Amino acid sequence: MVYKSIQRRRPFRLDTVAAIGGLLLALTLFPLRFFASQIYLNTVPILLGTACALYLIALYQENARGLPTLPAAVSMTLPSLVLSGLAGLVILTVLQGTRTPLFFGVASLLGTLLLGQILFTNDQTFKPGLVLLQVVLFAFVFRFTALYVTPGYIGIDIWTHVELTAAILEEGSLGAISDDKHFASPLYHLLVASSALLYGVPIRTALYLSVGLVMPLSVLLVYAGTNLLVAQRWATLAATCYALASHVAMWGMHLIPTSLGLVFFLAVLYALLRVMRIEYTFRDFSLLLLLSVAVILTHQVSTFIMLVLLLAAFIAQIVFVVGPLGLDRLDTSVFRAKKPVNLVGLVAFNFGFTIFVWSLTPYRQDSFLATVLSFFTQTLEESAGFLNIASDSTADSTETSTETTQTLVEQIVPYVDALGFLFLLGATFVGCLYVVHRRRAEQSVFTLLLAAAFMLVFVLGLPMFGIRNFIPTRWFAFLYAPMAILGAIGLRTLYGKLSPALVVSVLLLFVLVFPGAMIFAAESNADNPVFADQHERLAYSDAELTAAASIGELTGSPSGGDIRPDQRLHTDHPYQTLISRTGAYPSTTAATVPDGSVANHDYVVYRTTQSTEATFFRDGDGDGRIEQITRDRLCRPDQAIVYTNGEVSMCTPSPASM
């Protein structure tokens, strides 16, 4: 029988069973696309099935030999091309005044050249240090060109954190933010404020010289952690994939506590892998404890994600202490045999300290812990349900698009945004199958596997049930760290097992598509979206910033309590967040513009961007949608224009109509 023939060649084992189970799971999930329209329901089953099939093929093929590599002359030229290209990106940005589609196209090509150096050069010409230098420089150039050409800041929440930092500087004490939830997690604001004092520069410059500088450098932590598990070539691959990742790039430009929390999270991940892979000392474990405390004192969402990582490490410890995966059969040629690290004390301390801090954190007239538990309970009672898929948020806003008819571009753009993630997810699936082999499994790689699995539940699983309380869009950059490591292991597996023709096809597809997919995703170009009619721009021109400040001067920046409901200011999202979060006019919200009709608000702000790019308004039912409107649909002819600078106008009731 065929079964017996296969059984004699390759006895069924845990990774084989997992691959077959993955195929069956993919077939089971495939019909869900007929019950709900959601991009991950349409793609993940196919991706999982493909990854499992490739792994099974790799099991029953001979090891690849004589894989083609680039000629030595070409390999030695690539670093010069990348460095010249990076210089060209800087010049291009300065000349054009913004990052244009041409910029992103060139950046995608440079990303392909980076991956090509790693995957298609021989051992003699591969220089990991030189590749890492290029990766870090790429991360710096890609992020700082956006910061350089953008007046003000990129993003939404950053305006709130700048105001909080300014209040701390002005008062010289944390008491200035005592009523804010960041009072108990102030490391970000203290770092920026102290940098401003130390360097004697404005807050914006201090932010870029502190958090902005460490973000590109943090990719080295991914390299260091991966290098504890695999050779340098694959560690550089993990670091490169992480540096190219869209959400990672976003937090390098939208510099908020999430950014600093991500840096500390990567440091925790590295320190955790380190204590699992070496004969650690008290100093190593103390560093791990210190870094985990730093996360708790920096950002609440980052803290929760770190706790998920630590929980995964603890479960991995239990599996290897009492489970079926003992160390007696560990293949020491793959991973060094080492007794599982006892993490009970670390996990207990971090959970206890987190609960203590969150209980003291003020949030909406209650503690942060009580408030989030209340929100979660309310969601379970009111909106949770299978395939009750919550709408995607836009920059963590609740506004969403409810259009029922979509153009071809509107249908394609979501897949472009998700393509890079899907490619890395496929490689991660292969890496997970590789490490569950009993002779390869050990605490460190099982921690990565479980952490990625748990985080995918929060990112992809819970939203299928209408649960988005955990802000899944914030998790991607953290999730990319274990995914990049496991993905590098997965590609290494295919590289060494598949036939030359098949492995070259797989690697070429990855090298050619992955960088561009990540760079053209919305998160990588929030300052000037490639698909400007589908994604809102989260940066503002000088005229738009000036208008917000002038509106504050014109109205006297009244407090929210002094503004009547009929005096609320209405404009598009995200511009309404700039006006409200800077304190120019606190009671500002998204305007309601019914289909085919005009807004019926007394106080409105129109900007020309509303007619040319993607902005959000509410429709007649109160749902958010992307729409481009003409000026007279928001600023009606019967209203008076009390401020205009050519790009932005503020309209109020006309005295003649009152």
Side-chain angles (χ1 to χ4, degrees):
M1 294 177 62
V2 176
Y3 170 82
K4 291 183 178 179
S5 176
I6 295 176
Q7 177 72 358
R8 283 195 296 268
R9 288 193 61 195
R10 178 75 66 176
F12 285 148
R13 58 199 189 190
L14 186 56
D15 59 334
T16 308
V17 173
I20 295 173
L23 278 174
L24 296 176
L25 179 61
L27 291 173
T28 303
L29 294 177
F30 186 81
L32 291 180
R33 62 173 54 226
F34 302 115
F35 298 94
S37 177
Q38 207 263 3
I39 183 172
Y40 296 117
L41 286 180
N42 295 336
T43 55
V44 171
I46 298 174
L47 194 69
L48 176 61
T50 303
C52 292
L54 283 174
Y55 187 78
L56 289 172
I57 293 172
L59 287 181
Y60 298 103
Q61 284 190 343
E62 299 297 330
N63 290 347
R65 291 292 185 267
L67 291 178
T69 58
L70 294 170
V74 176
S75 300
M76 295 173 65
T77 304
L78 289 180
S80 299
L81 290 177
V82 172
L83 295 176
S84 300
L86 292 176
L89 287 181
V90 175
I91 296 172
L92 188 64
T93 305
V94 173
L95 292 178
Q96 296 185 325
T98 187
R99 301 193 307 167
T100 63
L102 177 60
F103 173 97
F104 298 116
V106 175
S108 301
L109 177 60
L110 296 179
T112 293
L113 295 180
L114 278 173
L115 291 178
Q117 291 180 64
I118 299 171
L119 295 174
F120 294 108
T121 56
N122 56 42
D123 294 337
Q124 288 72 34
T125 56
F126 175 70
K127 307 294 182 184
L130 182 58
V131 174
L132 277 180
L133 175 63
Q134 297 171 66
V135 171
V136 172
L137 289 177
F138 179 92
F140 268 107
V141 170
F142 191 80
R143 292 149 177 77
F144 271 83
T145 47
L147 298 176
Y148 173 75
V149 297
T150 301
Y153 303 94
I154 299 172
I156 292 178
D157 292 347
I158 180 63
W159 298 97
T160 297
H161 296 294
V162 167
E163 294 295 316
L164 295 175
T165 304
I168 293 174
L169 277 173
E170 182 178 353
E171 191 169 315
S173 168
L174 274 177
I177 62 171
S178 59
D179 58 343
D180 188 87
K181 68 177 180 178
H182 298 93
F183 175 70
S185 301
L187 282 188
Y188 167 90
H189 305 90
L190 291 177
L191 174 62
V192 177
S194 59
S195 297
L197 292 174
L198 179 63
Y199 300 134
V201 294
I203 291 177
R204 181 172 181 264
T205 305
L207 175 64
Y208 296 165
L209 291 178
S210 53
V211 182
L213 282 178
V214 300
M215 285 302 297
L217 292 173
S218 64
V219 301
L220 296 176
L221 292 169
V222 177
Y223 168 81
T226 312
N227 198 31
L228 292 169
L229 301 171
V230 292
Q232 289 180 313
R233 182 186 296 270
W234 306 104
T236 57
L237 176 63
T240 305
C241 290
Y242 191 77
L244 292 170
S246 56
H247 285 81
V248 178
M250 178 182 67
W251 298 123
M253 296 178 288
H254 186 194
L255 299 167
I256 60 174
T258 302
S259 306
L260 189 59
L262 177 60
V263 174
F264 285 134
F265 173 85
L266 295 177
V268 168
L269 179 61
Y270 165 71
L272 192 60
L273 291 175
R274 180 178 171 83
V275 299
M276 292 177 180
R277 299 290 294 150
I278 67 170
E279 296 300 330
Y280 65 91
T281 63
F282 177 75
R283 180 184 62 184
D284 297 314
F285 209 86
S286 298
L287 176 63
L288 176 58
L289 180 63
L290 180 64
L291 291 170
S292 63
V293 171
V295 176
I296 296 171
L297 297 179
T298 299
H299 186 233
Q300 288 86 9
V301 176
S302 304
T303 299
F304 190 84
I305 299 173
M306 180 195 68
L307 294 178
V308 170
L309 172 66
L310 294 179
L311 181 62
F314 176 63
I315 294 176
Q317 172 193 339
I318 295 175
V319 168
F320 282 92
V321 171
V322 301
L325 298 172
L327 288 172
D328 57 313
R329 298 188 62 189
L330 191 69
D331 187 348
T332 56
S333 67
V334 180
F335 298 120
R336 296 188 300 273
K338 185 177 183 296
K339 183 180 179 181
V341 178
N342 188 350
L343 299 173
V344 175
L346 178 69
V347 173
F349 172 81
N350 277 278
F351 271 89
F353 187 57
T354 299
I355 293 173
F356 172 74
V357 171
W358 287 4
S359 298
L360 299 179
T361 301
Y363 189 47
R364 299 194 178 187
Q365 285 74 51
D366 207 336
S367 70
F368 180 83
L369 182 62
T371 302
V372 296
L373 289 176
S374 174
F375 286 166
F376 183 64
T377 302
Q378 183 178 359
T379 299
L380 292 179
E381 293 175 350
E382 297 179 0
S383 59
F386 183 57
L387 294 184
N388 183 19
I389 299 173
S391 301
D392 290 335
S393 64
T394 301
D396 298 331
S397 168
T398 58
E399 269 98 12
T400 58
S401 176
T402 59
E403 293 179 297
T404 56
T405 60
Q406 292 184 317
T407 65
L408 179 61
V409 173
E410 291 172 334
Q411 295 175 25
I412 291 176
V413 167
Y415 288 90
V416 174
D417 292 338
L419 189 58
F421 168 74
L422 293 173
F423 263 71
L424 189 57
L425 183 62
T428 301
F429 285 149
V430 178
C432 290
L433 293 172
Y434 179 82
V435 301
V436 297
H437 188 298
R438 187 170 181 177
R439 292 187 181 275
R440 302 173 191 137
E442 62 113 54
Q443 189 182 11
S444 60
V445 290
F446 244 63
T447 295
L448 295 172
L449 186 154
L450 292 173
F454 293 161
M455 292 165 74
L456 282 170
V457 169
F458 285 95
V459 169
L460 303 182
L462 294 183
M464 288 181 59
F465 294 85
I467 301 173
R468 299 184 66 89
N469 301 71
F470 300 97
I471 320 180
T473 53
R474 298 288 179 100
W475 289 61
F476 277 97
F478 299 82
L479 171 61
Y480 279 139
M483 282 180 63
I485 299 175
L486 290 169
I489 294 174
L491 290 177
R492 169 179 172 266
T493 302
L494 299 180
Y495 185 92
K497 295 289 186 181
L498 291 179
S499 64
L502 188 53
V503 73
V504 168
S505 300
V506 171
L507 295 181
L508 264 181
L509 186 63
F510 187 85
V511 167
L512 293 175
V513 176
F514 177 78
M518 282 297 190
I519 288 171
F520 277 86
E523 293 78 18
S524 293
N525 46 75
D527 57 309
N528 188 30
V530 174
F531 302 100
D533 58 344
Q534 297 298 312
H535 296 302
E536 71 278 20
R537 176 166 52 90
L538 298 180
Y540 307 99
S541 65
D542 283 318
E544 290 167 338
L545 295 174
T546 300
S550 299
I551 289 172
E553 296 175 1
L554 182 67
T555 61
S557 297
S559 64
D562 296 332
I563 301 174
R564 301 192 310 267
D566 63 305
Q567 293 177 322
R568 296 193 74 181
L569 190 60
H570 296 81
T571 186
D572 69 87
H573 176 85
Y575 194 52
Q576 56 98 1
T577 63
L578 171 68
I579 298 174
S580 60
R581 292 180 182 234
T582 56
Y585 201 89
S587 187
T588 305
T589 188
T592 297
V593 184
D595 293 334
S597 185
V598 299
N600 187 27
H601 304 300
D602 290 336
Y603 298 88
V604 297
V605 173
Y606 168 82
R607 58 176 180 147
T608 56
T609 300
Q610 296 169 1
S611 300
T612 58
E613 299 178 14
T615 50
F616 278 78
F617 295 96
R618 296 186 187 277
D619 60 17
D621 297 325
D623 297 318
R625 75 193 188 288
I626 291 177
E627 185 171 358
Q628 297 172 2
I629 65 170
T630 58
R631 178 190 179 106
D632 56 2
R633 291 186 63 191
L634 185 63
C635 229
R636 302 187 306 275
D638 62 340
Q639 290 180 295
I641 300 175
V642 296
Y643 171 83
T644 184
N645 63 12
E647 287 190 31
V648 183
S649 301
M650 180 179 178
C651 300
T652 64
S654 171
S657 62
M658 297 179 64

